[in-house]
Amino acid sequence: MSATTFTTLVSRWYQENARDLPWRGPDVSPWAILVSEVMLQQTPVVRVVPAWQAWLARWPEPAALAADTPAEAIRMWGRLGYPRRAVRLRECAVAIVQRHGGRVPDRLDQLLALPGIGTYTARAVAAFAYGQRHPVVDTNVRRVVARAVTGEPDAGPVTRPADLVATEELLPAEPAAAALASAAFMELGAVVCTARAPRCDRCPVESVCAWRASGQPAPTGPTRRPQRYAGTDRQVRGLLLGVLREATGPVPRQRLDQVWADDVQRSRALAALVQDGLVEPVDDSSFRLTGDTPLPTP
């Protein structure tokens, strides 16, 4: 199978079958696309859509978020999970204002230099916001390329430089077509070439897929188990953060002590929130969200 055939088939399928997601609209700003990419990390689309809409309604430009407090970003993040992303997104907005006059930069090196913006997100913004030719490689894309091109059942747990090279070789030379192809590869992996139950009968490259031709061999490595949540420090952090998020002022330690019975685990979770920059002590006996504005004195 040639790279041209593969990319043409997937891009054509995408144009006819892509989900109607709000950040894919023709008039969506680079800032809105950047926000969507940060929110979509390890979070299902169905949960991101309303959060993204609410976020952009409040902070339609980086300058608006940069002028607000980290505490408000954490509150607005709600229960999307991994709330450190909210703080980093605000730090990113501050950097955009200070370094780029409030405009999301279009150069890859400048995007990579922003706080909290890694290899994937920088290339995604460059491609989807500015129509540039960059390999945009996430788990879904790596799986599609591994199966369809090399015949492997998966591509391993982490993105390697070789994954970027392999994906870039599939992109058309013309930047706009390459950006479309990048979105198409990702969509195919998200809705058809899934990890557990691939829908090969609906795949546009089924007839030329190397994995399909080789009999769809199963992965040979260890099975990746779903992460447990109940009873973990992550759950305790979420419970503590929920109390602080809903508070209108500093929260006494005694109130936080009611969240979780295990003193050692609760203290460890609270310390982690402080270390991550999500929570700060007000004094020896109370805490608040980082940067929370004190209530005015009556």
Side-chain angles (χ1 to χ4, degrees):
M1 174 181 57
S2 70
T4 300
T5 299
F6 173 80
T7 302
T8 299
L9 290 172
V10 178
S11 296
R12 185 181 301 151
W13 167 85
Y14 176 79
Q15 290 175 306
E16 297 173 356
N17 297 278
R19 291 169 293 176
D20 183 18
L21 301 178
W23 44 82
R24 288 177 174 168
D27 300 321
V28 176
S29 70
W31 168 243
I33 290 173
L34 187 153
V35 172
S36 75
E37 291 297 340
V38 173
M39 287 187 168
L40 286 165
Q41 296 167 13
Q42 298 179 290
T43 307
V45 167
V46 67
R47 294 180 59 202
V48 168
V49 171
W52 178 85
Q53 292 169 331
W55 189 280
L56 270 298
R58 180 166 181 176
W59 298 305
E61 299 293 341
L65 176 57
D68 218 328
T69 64
E72 287 307 302
I74 297 166
R75 284 196 175 95
M76 199 68 179
W77 196 260
R79 299 185 179 279
L80 273 183
Y82 303 98
R84 178 63 178 152
R85 290 180 292 172
V87 176
R88 296 296 279 171
L89 191 51
R90 182 187 171 276
E91 292 171 351
C92 180
V94 171
I96 289 171
V97 170
Q98 293 177 345
R99 304 175 193 171
H100 306 289
R103 178 183 178 274
V104 176
D106 58 2
R107 281 174 36 189
L108 183 61
D109 61 333
Q110 293 176 336
L111 287 165
L112 286 167
L114 293 174
I117 303 301
T119 297
Y120 164 78
T121 304
R123 285 171 168 77
V125 172
F128 305 146
Y130 294 111
Q132 297 178 11
R133 185 184 186 275
H134 296 288
V136 183
V137 181
D138 67 353
T139 300
N140 291 319
V141 173
R142 290 192 298 111
R143 184 171 55 254
V144 166
V145 174
R147 286 177 176 173
V149 178
T150 66
E152 301 293 331
D154 59 44
V158 297
T159 300
R160 303 162 301 171
D163 296 318
L164 294 172
V165 172
T167 303
E168 186 170 15
E169 289 175 349
L170 297 171
L171 297 179
E174 201 277 316
L180 173 67
S182 290
F185 299 161
M186 193 174 303
E187 183 80 345
L188 186 66
V191 302
V192 174
C193 192
T194 57
R196 296 177 181 270
R199 304 159 71 185
C200 295
D201 59 324
R202 301 189 181 186
C203 181
V205 293
E206 178 192 11
S207 62
V208 292
C209 174
W211 183 57
R212 186 81 162 160
S214 63
Q216 297 176 258
T220 56
T223 302
R224 189 175 180 181
R225 296 181 179 179
Q227 291 184 338
R228 182 173 61 92
Y229 180 75
T232 63
D233 283 8
R234 184 181 167 208
Q235 182 188 17
V236 182
R237 288 196 299 267
L239 293 171
L240 291 168
L241 203 58
V243 172
L244 290 158
R245 209 170 37 231
E246 295 170 5
T248 55
V251 177
R253 184 184 287 273
Q254 293 91 328
R255 171 69 183 89
L256 296 175
D257 288 346
Q258 299 172 20
V259 165
W260 196 257
D262 187 327
D263 293 342
V264 173
Q265 188 176 22
R266 187 182 63 251
S267 296
R268 184 172 64 239
L270 182 59
L273 290 174
V274 173
Q275 184 175 4
D276 286 347
L278 297 167
V279 173
E280 61 186 9
V282 178
D283 49 41
D284 291 340
S285 60
S286 61
F287 297 82
R288 68 182 181 187
L289 296 179
T290 297
D292 208 2
T293 304
L295 292 176
T297 304

